[in-house]
Structure formats: structure tokens, C-alpha cells
């Protein structure tokens, strides 16, 4: 049902986001989203390293 988004749907979503947040807030939102994703990836890498070192220790 929600598996495919066409060009029209993406354009409509972008227009709605522009109307809700305005052009000035979007770069700030994207920066925050990017830093959140970066922190999440770093945390998962640290967790993987921790698990790997525990397996080697046993």
C-alpha cells in the first residue's frame, strides 16, 4: 500500500513540509536529522565493537 511513492506524491510532501516549516527552518531540521543519524551510527558501531571484544575475551 505505502511501498511506492511516485513523483507527484513526493512533490506534494515537499510542498506540505515547506508550508509547515518555511524555507528558513528546513536547513536546521536537516542538520539536526543528520547529526542524529550520525550519533546513532556511532553508537551502533561502538556496541558492535563491544560485543566483538567480549566474544574474543571468552
Amino acid at each position: 500500500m505505502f511501498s511506492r511513492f511516485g513523483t507527484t506524491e513526493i512533490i506534494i510532501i515537499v510542498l506540505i513540509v515547506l508550508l509547515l516549516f518555511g524555507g528558513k527552518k528546513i536547513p536546521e531540521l536537516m542538520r539536526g536529522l543528520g547529526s542524529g543519524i550520525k550519533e546513532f551510527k556511532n553508537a551502533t558501531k561502538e556496541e558492535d565493537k563491544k560485543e566483538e571484544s567480549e566474544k574474543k575475551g571468552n
Side-chain angles (χ1 to χ4, degrees):
M1 185 168 153
F2 295 108
S3 62
R4 292 190 174 226
F5 286 110
T7 307
T8 307
E9 289 87 358
I10 292 173
I11 291 172
I12 290 172
I13 291 170
V14 169
L15 289 174
I16 291 172
V17 168
L18 278 172
L19 288 173
L20 289 175
F21 297 108
K24 294 180 180 179
K25 284 285 187 179
I26 292 176
E28 294 175 23
L29 291 171
M30 293 299 114
R31 230 177 273 121
L33 181 64
S35 65
I37 291 172
K38 186 177 179 180
E39 289 179 26
F40 178 76
K41 285 183 179 181
N42 288 339
T44 56
K45 285 180 185 178
E46 289 177 13
E47 195 65 32
D48 289 342
K49 288 179 183 178
K50 182 180 176 184
E51 288 178 4
E52 192 173 301
S53 66
E54 288 176 356
K55 286 180 182 178
K56 287 182 180 179
N58 289 334

